[in-house]
Amino acid sequence: MAHLRVRLAVSSLKKLAKLWPVIGVLGMRQVGKSTLLRDLLGLTNLVTLDDEDVRADAESASKLFLSKYPRPFVIDEVQKVPKLFDAIKSEVDRNRIPGLFYLSGSQRFSDGELTRESLTGRIATIRLYPLTLREAYPDETLNLQHFVQGMQRGGVPVPMFLRDQGARKQYWDNWLETTLLRDLRRAYGKGYDLDFAHLIVDEISKMLKEEIIPEITHFSRDSRKVMKYLRAMESIFLLNRIACHPSGTGRDHWLLSDSGLAFHLMKERGFSEASNLVLARHLIFNEIAADRSYQLKKDPIYYFKSSRAQPVDFVVDGIPIKLISKASGPLGWQEKGLLGAMKKLNSKRGFLAAPIERGDPLKRKGITRISWLHFS
């Protein structure tokens, strides 16, 4: 396969498969879950519940369905037949052998109707993120040109490797329509309104174009209804939620799951400093989150906001990180805001991430200016 890339999640999955009877691989639609399991881990006993006949077979008699396939057994889009969770649980309780099942899905197993089918204590899950820059360009020395391309194309394998901009636009139009029509409907449940879902996506698109980080107060519709849709979008990995650090005062922020999708919704707008920051925020979040996921780290990524200063984009392991668009020159208020976050977080270090090829000599009061590429 011309565009097959080694995923950094492989070694972690192999480690988990030696310890756990069920391994879950979760992530947004078409992020590469099946390719990872089939082509990179070499698991050949794989079925997908996207297939109507296979899904009907699994729904009619779940235990009989499982008995037809040798182990290890991979079930793709397993969330589409929730009763399989009970059948898997029953087998695992009888025979707890590591690496029996690999379950992949584009919805969190712990959400909605899947909650009652919990495999707690029997399953280890890992989230697969869009391709990182290091995965996409394994044989190249990364530079800012790679980063800019990553901001525009994102890391979902198919559109990332499409050279034609029109083809990428068509891909994302189709991807979004399928996600809202099928995946979000299933995740939301009773009362789902496709038109309302489109309205929310349209409002997010408008916010991105205006360089606004979406939070609940920015939506024009009823906040309780909007929040239910945002949570459902989070459950299918359409959105990433970033909570404010407990020491701060901000509301949850919402980022799209891929910078290529963000670029698409911004209508491929020309690059100003502000729009660059919007896309860089999406790409850098995924770079950081993917690295932590594949190291099996569970601590969340926060952002920080006080009642006075501008928000600091990320807080990782207690260290504040602020993205800036200036490659050189005086920083002034940028440093001031970061220093305030460092004080509140009791951190001796803080990072200003800038569009530079590598870290520069700026280093004072515990602040270091680093490259956007630092996280790749």
Side-chain angles (χ1 to χ4, degrees), residues 124-303:
T125 61
I126 192 168
R127 177 170 171 184
L128 187 66
Y129 283 84
L131 284 163
T132 66
L133 294 179
R134 189 150 47 104
E135 290 173 323
Y137 307 103
D139 301 320
E140 301 180 42
T141 301
L142 294 177
N143 55 44
L144 284 180
Q145 184 176 352
H146 293 113
F147 192 94
V148 170
Q149 185 164 292
M151 290 197 306
Q152 296 180 44
R153 297 188 181 184
V156 175
V158 172
M160 182 178 199
F161 293 113
L162 288 174
R163 296 187 177 184
D164 180 68
Q165 190 168 311
R168 286 198 300 275
K169 180 182 183 303
Q170 184 178 22
Y171 173 91
W172 281 120
D173 283 337
N174 293 338
W175 183 94
L176 192 58
E177 188 61 30
T178 300
T179 298
L180 297 184
L181 185 62
R182 298 180 184 177
D183 300 341
L184 188 60
R185 181 186 298 277
R186 182 179 296 106
Y188 186 91
K190 186 177 180 180
Y192 178 71
D193 184 339
L194 178 61
D195 290 335
F196 194 84
H198 276 291
L199 285 173
I200 291 177
V201 172
D202 288 343
E203 289 208 34
I204 290 174
S205 174
K206 181 179 178 181
M207 292 175 206
L208 295 179
K209 286 185 281 188
E210 294 177 353
E211 291 93 34
I212 296 172
I213 304 173
E215 62 178 56
I216 190 63
T217 57
H218 295 144
F219 290 88
S220 63
R221 308 290 171 142
D222 176 73
S223 60
R224 286 180 296 179
K225 185 175 181 180
V226 169
M227 181 57 74
K228 187 174 180 181
Y229 276 83
L230 293 177
R231 289 290 191 177
M233 290 177 180
E234 180 188 6
S235 78
I236 62 167
F237 310 103
L238 173 56
L239 295 177
N240 291 315
R241 179 174 60 90
I242 309 180
C244 185
H245 191 277
S247 299
T249 60
R251 298 175 180 269
D252 289 349
H253 282 176
W254 300 89
L255 298 181
L256 289 158
S257 53
D258 184 70
S259 63
L261 176 56
F263 185 60
H264 172 71
L265 289 179
M266 293 171 74
K267 307 302 181 188
E268 300 170 356
R269 185 176 178 176
F271 287 102
S272 65
E273 285 189 2
S275 61
N276 277 345
L277 281 177
V278 171
L279 295 171
R281 186 178 295 114
H282 283 80
L283 180 55
I284 289 174
F285 175 84
N286 274 357
E287 296 282 300
I288 297 172
D291 179 67
R292 295 178 71 78
S293 177
Y294 307 154
Q295 291 188 54
L296 305 179
K297 292 183 177 181
K298 300 298 183 180
D299 294 341
I301 301 169
Y302 295 106
Y303 82 97

Side-chain angles (χ1 to χ4, degrees), residues 291-326:
D291 179 67
R292 295 178 71 78
S293 177
Y294 307 154
Q295 291 188 54
L296 305 179
K297 292 183 177 181
K298 300 298 183 180
D299 294 341
I301 301 169
Y302 295 106
Y303 82 97
F304 179 82
K305 185 180 185 302
S306 68
S307 57
R308 297 180 180 180
Q310 290 291 314
V312 171
D313 297 88
F314 306 119
V315 178
V316 181
D317 295 328
I319 301 172
I321 302 165
K322 186 169 183 61
L323 308 189
I324 60 175
S325 57
K326 288 183 176 292

Side-chain angles (χ1 to χ4, degrees), residues 144 147 277 284 288 314 316 319-328 331 338 349-364 366-376:
L144 284 180
F147 192 94
L277 281 177
I284 289 174
I288 297 172
F314 306 119
V316 181
I319 301 172
I321 302 165
K322 186 169 183 61
L323 308 189
I324 60 175
S325 57
K326 288 183 176 292
S328 61
L331 299 171
L338 187 57
R349 292 190 295 164
F351 295 121
L352 290 172
I356 53 180
E357 290 288 353
R358 57 185 61 85
D360 67 15
L362 171 74
K363 191 170 186 178
R364 54 180 178 266
I367 295 176
T368 303
R369 186 158 56 188
I370 58 176
S371 170
W372 284 351
L373 291 163
H374 173 86
F375 306 100
S376 301

